[in-house]
Amino acid sequence: MLSYILKRLLLMVPTLLGVLLLTFVVVQFVPGGPVEQYLAEAKAGAGRSAEGGGLSYRGAQGVDPKRLEQIKALYGFDKPAHERFFQMLGQFARFDLGKSFFQNKDVSQLLWEKLPVSISLGLWTFFISYLIAVPLGVAKAVRAGSRFDFVTTLLVLVGYAIPGFVLGVALLVIFGGQLQWFPLRGLTSSNWDELSWGARIVDYLWHIAMPVTAMVLGSFAVTAMLTKNAFLEEIRKQYVVTARAKGLDERQVLWKHVFRNALIPIITGFPAAFIGAFFTGSLLIETLFSLDGLGLLSYESVIRRDYPVVLGTLYFFTLIGLVTKLISDLSYVWVDPRVKFD
């Protein structure tokens, strides 16, 4: 086990380097970097000044070469690409994610500020998905082929076919716009600081209801169908027939014998699902509902070519993803001792 963990940890290094190298190379060829954006804004400002007449007209002729070199040095583009890449790797090795070009903050500070929103969405999505989907999957497996199984399967598949952002738009239009039952944006109201603790909890749940509903649907469907199929596979095995032949109660057979083995693929997916709920699938939801989280931060960083934030968040997400994958694989052994990595 220890040798397997060491091998996986060593394999994380080239994987992480490959992801960062590929992203860094792509970033170099993307037009409209921070220097270009600065020049475009400078020319636009000079053009507006020229329309007003006067001595400001000379600004429309371009940026002074010395000033241009200062701008490149400010953003670190005065160095060759390979030198900047190795400098970035050295910073990341010390868990120094750099500083944002446009927000004048450390990337780690930005991540820490945006993390609570993503954690809120992720925790609610994870727990609601599993607390409802697992019992539903068990009920569907026990009643396989019945009308209940058919109707719930139809509803689950229809829900799965609807993308989360489409459902989010529908919720905003119907319940936020027409009926005005829920707020259209934000995680809390503007008078949050003035509310009592009970009122704060109600206000928070009032704001989080529609975003979580839009995010839950897809993962809910997958978990429910996975649970059903896992239970059906275990119910048909020989040890279940033997347990029933011994005269055990059906409830004992189901919850004492079948339940543990059927939940192995679901439990081992807990770490990945738990972390993935925070960092995946929330970009469009956060944008739709104006939630200032990690998804919206990543999107805005790409649009503004804020390279330290793009590469810093990518490094953070990739590192968490690799560690989570390792924990998922190790959980097979913890849940089922028959599994051997040798």
Side-chain angles (χ1 to χ4, degrees), residues 324-340:
T324 303
K325 183 61 179 176
L326 175 59
I327 296 175
S328 298
D329 292 342
L330 293 178
S331 60
Y332 277 102
V333 177
W334 299 332
V335 175
D336 189 356
R338 298 171 297 176
V339 176
K340 301 294 182 183

Side-chain angles (χ1 to χ4, degrees), residues 21-38:
L21 176 61
L22 181 62
T23 308
F24 185 84
V25 171
V26 171
V27 162
Q28 304 308 306
F29 292 98
V30 174
V35 176
E36 288 79 2
Q37 289 192 10
Y38 181 90

Side-chain angles (χ1 to χ4, degrees), residues 224-300:
M225 298 306 295
L226 177 62
T227 304
K228 174 193 172 182
N229 294 334
F231 265 78
L232 282 178
E233 183 180 355
E234 293 296 324
I235 287 174
R236 295 165 182 166
K237 289 186 177 179
Q238 186 63 39
Y239 75 89
V240 177
V241 178
T242 304
R244 287 171 174 167
K246 289 181 178 180
L248 291 179
D249 181 73
E250 187 66 23
R251 185 179 296 273
Q252 285 183 306
V253 174
L254 181 64
W255 296 106
K256 187 176 180 181
H257 296 278
V258 177
F259 187 76
R260 178 179 178 182
N261 294 324
L263 283 185
I264 288 175
I266 301 172
I267 293 176
T268 51
F270 272 9
F274 187 73
I275 299 298
F278 297 153
F279 305 121
T280 60
S282 61
L283 167 59
L284 294 174
I285 301 301
E286 289 181 8
T287 305
L288 276 175
F289 293 94
S290 301
L291 302 175
D292 194 10
L294 292 176
L296 189 59
L297 173 67
S298 302
Y299 172 74
E300 291 178 347

Side-chain angles (χ1 to χ4, degrees), residues 136 140 145-160 221 225 228:
L136 177 62
K140 288 172 62 62
S146 65
R147 181 178 297 180
F148 171 80
D149 182 33
F150 175 77
V151 173
T152 53
T153 299
L154 182 62
L155 293 175
V156 165
L157 293 179
V158 169
Y160 180 71
M225 298 306 295
K228 174 193 172 182

